[in-house]
């Protein structure tokens, strides 16, 4: 069994529900970090972006992104993207899984099987 597993996201997200279900079914202990209730700070986002890339973390498929003015979307860079994530955590692609200091983004059962294969 691994230690230090954290799943970041928002609870009503379908992909989060699937990831949580998979972790539960595999009897993997984890901590859920709810962006809306527990928040996220700039330092944490910068550390995540350093490992994953801010472009990967920015959810351009969701309603939060689509609701932004075209001018904001056209001028997006790392600083403005991180500020958007601070102001609107729903714009962070979900889930982000942290396992022993390594970050993984998204959820597919095969991906999680590979992550936890050595456990």
């Amino acid at each position: 069994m691994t230690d230090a597993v954290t799943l970041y996201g928002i609870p009503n997200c379908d992909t989060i529900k699937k990831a949580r279900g998979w972790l539960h079914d595999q009897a993997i202990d984890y901590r859920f970090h709810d962006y809306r209730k527990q928040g996220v700070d700039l330092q944490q986002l910068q550390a995540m972006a350093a490992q994953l890339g801010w472009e990967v973390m920015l959810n351009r498929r969701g309603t939060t992104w689509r609701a932004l003015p075209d001018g904001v979307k056209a001028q997006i860079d790392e600083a403005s993207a991180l500020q958007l994530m601070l102001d609107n955590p729903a714009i962070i692609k979900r889930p982000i899984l942290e396992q022993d200091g390594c970050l993984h983004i998204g959820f597919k059962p095969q991906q999680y099987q590979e992550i936890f294969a050595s456990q």
Side-chain angles (χ1 to χ4, degrees):
M1 179 60 94
T2 187
D3 51 83
V5 176
T6 303
L7 189 70
Y8 295 89
I10 55 178
N12 62 335
C13 168
D14 289 340
T15 308
I16 291 289
K17 290 176 185 175
K18 291 175 188 174
R20 292 181 86 175
W22 189 93
L23 291 167
H24 175 77
D25 291 348
Q26 305 302 313
I28 295 171
D29 290 329
Y30 69 96
R31 181 177 72 86
F32 181 66
H33 182 100
D34 182 340
Y35 290 133
R36 289 201 172 127
K37 288 185 180 173
Q38 296 165 275
V40 62
D41 63 38
L42 182 59
Q43 186 176 13
Q44 186 177 22
L45 286 173
Q46 288 170 330
M48 289 175 162
Q51 196 173 138
L52 296 169
W54 68 268
E55 298 95 337
V56 173
M57 291 173 57
L58 187 63
N59 181 4
R60 297 174 193 251
R61 293 183 178 180
T63 56
T64 305
W65 174 260
R66 290 193 303 262
L68 293 174
D70 289 339
V72 171
K73 293 185 225 179
Q75 299 291 324
I76 200 80
D77 60 10
E78 182 171 7
S80 60
L82 293 178
Q83 188 61 52
L84 273 174
M85 292 177 205
L86 277 174
D87 296 340
N88 305 288
I91 207 165
I92 303 169
K93 187 173 179 184
R94 307 174 291 272
I96 293 179
L97 177 79
E98 181 177 7
Q99 186 232 2
D100 297 329
C102 293
L103 298 175
H104 309 273
I105 198 160
F107 170 75
K108 289 190 169 71
Q110 180 66 33
Q111 172 195 18
Y112 275 36
Q113 286 172 355
E114 291 171 10
I115 292 166
F116 293 101
S118 63
Q119 304 306 313

